[in-house]
Amino acid sequence: MATVRLDQKQRALIRAIPDSYHSALANFFGSGPKDIELARKQHSDYKNTLEDAGISVVMLDADENHPDCLFVEDQAVIIDGRVLLPVPGHPSRVNEQPPISNFLVTEMGGAQVCRMSGDARMDGGDILRLGDLFFVGRSTRTNDLGIEELRDLLSHLGHELRVIDIPEHALHLTSIASTPTDEVILAPEGYLPKDAFGELPEGSRVIWMPEEETYGCNTIGLPGGKVLVAKGYPTVEKTLIELGLDIITLDFSEIRAADGSLTCCSLFY
Ligand code: GLY
């Protein structure tokens, strides 16, 4: 869950995969998608799984001019009913945003919407929420000006923001960490110092996973004790089961091929 608490997850926006998906950016987990039909099947399973968990899901049309358009998480930051529209950190992704912002403005009628401007840059994938505490990755996609705009919004809402430097071998903060519950951060060894998240609220903790299961650290906690996890990460699965969670595994290989993780493909609003 990137920017919403578990109890705020009722509706999700996703976006269809374009035929141009084979040209999506791929520099970290993947070397580029090869099988678009398989990617579409995995994406459809994702949609069905969210719906089976009681989430109402809307899918926007694909945009052939934007191979990465399915990664909607990067295009809007939704916090407590407010929307921050970032300037995405990769130039090829900036114009993915208008249909997403138009949809959110219509669906969240009356919501306060702020637009980032100037040299501020941010991908929504750099934001992580643990209860009411927020973390932002300073990455190749998110810069200090973007972080200050997010800080302004969070200060207004009374939430704390902590900045984490993302190493060069990772794309986003959520590529290497997630919050399967409002009290647990899952993160891999080998990317961040052990004190990266700082002192956490009482009852909360970071659980460190083996480096080879980095991709599996991106999970989506859902209401009712369920959690979505990518297939193929046994330590992550075992850890989540020991937390008493009901795991749902999805094969996401062709989404991973374009550096996409589970959270990248949805925006909860
Ligand atoms: N392929 C996802 C991204 O690089 O933004």
Side-chain angles (χ1 to χ4, degrees), residues 18-267:
D19 292 340
S20 58
Y21 180 51
H22 54 80
S23 303
L25 299 167
N27 298 300
F28 297 90
F29 291 125
S31 52
K34 303 270 183 296
D35 185 340
I36 294 180
E37 283 320 306
L38 179 58
R40 287 192 171 124
K41 181 189 177 301
Q42 293 173 350
H43 193 250
S44 168
D45 291 345
Y46 177 82
K47 175 175 185 284
N48 293 338
T49 303
L50 290 176
E51 287 175 336
D52 289 346
I55 309 290
S56 162
V57 181
V58 172
M59 183 155 79
L60 292 184
D61 290 340
D63 176 350
E64 287 302 335
N65 293 320
H66 292 98
D68 286 283
C69 70
L70 64 152
F71 301 126
V72 292
E73 177 185 47
D74 294 322
Q75 298 291 337
V77 179
I78 301 171
I79 300 172
D80 298 351
R82 267 77 160 187
V83 183
L84 174 62
L85 295 171
V87 179
H90 195 285
S92 74
R93 301 204 52 202
V94 172
N95 290 328
E96 290 172 29
Q97 197 177 71
I100 294 169
S101 53
N102 290 343
F103 174 86
L104 292 173
V105 167
T106 306
E107 285 296 310
M108 299 175 65
Q112 189 182 324
V113 179
C114 331
R115 275 181 197 277
M116 234 173 230
S117 57
D119 293 329
R121 295 288 179 273
M122 175 169 284
D123 279 5
D126 270 318
I127 305 170
L128 187 66
R129 179 174 189 160
L130 178 78
D132 284 332
L133 174 61
F134 286 76
F135 302 91
V136 62
R138 186 192 284 122
S139 70
T140 54
R141 302 286 177 88
T142 297
N143 65 16
D144 284 326
L145 290 171
I147 290 170
E148 285 321 304
E149 293 207 25
L150 176 65
R151 193 186 297 286
D152 284 349
L153 172 63
L154 288 171
S155 306
H156 177 70
L157 295 170
H159 298 318
E160 183 186 345
L161 179 65
R162 297 181 186 173
V163 180
I164 295 182
D165 284 313
I166 304 302
E168 280 181 0
H169 59 304
L171 173 55
H172 292 131
L173 177 57
T174 58
S175 308
I176 54 170
S178 70
T179 48
T181 75
D182 288 336
E183 292 84 30
V184 168
I185 298 173
L186 217 52
E189 307 274 356
Y191 283 80
L192 301 173
K194 282 285 160 60
D195 60 357
F197 295 96
E199 193 174 328
L200 298 182
E202 203 180 329
S204 295
R205 62 193 165 125
V206 184
I207 306 182
W208 297 96
M209 295 289 104
E211 187 167 356
E212 61 273 20
E213 295 198 28
T214 298
Y215 184 78
C217 289
N218 180 286
T219 64
I220 300 183
L222 294 168
K226 295 186 169 69
V227 61
L228 212 51
V229 57
K231 187 176 161 192
Y233 303 94
T235 313
V236 171
E237 286 189 25
K238 182 168 173 286
T239 303
L240 295 172
I241 291 168
E242 283 171 0
L243 286 171
L245 297 168
D246 181 6
I247 64 166
I248 306 164
T249 53
L250 279 182
D251 186 355
F252 235 39
S253 57
E254 279 300 294
I255 309 298
R256 177 182 163 135
D259 297 338
S261 301
L262 292 165
T263 61
C264 305
C265 296
S266 52
L267 263 173

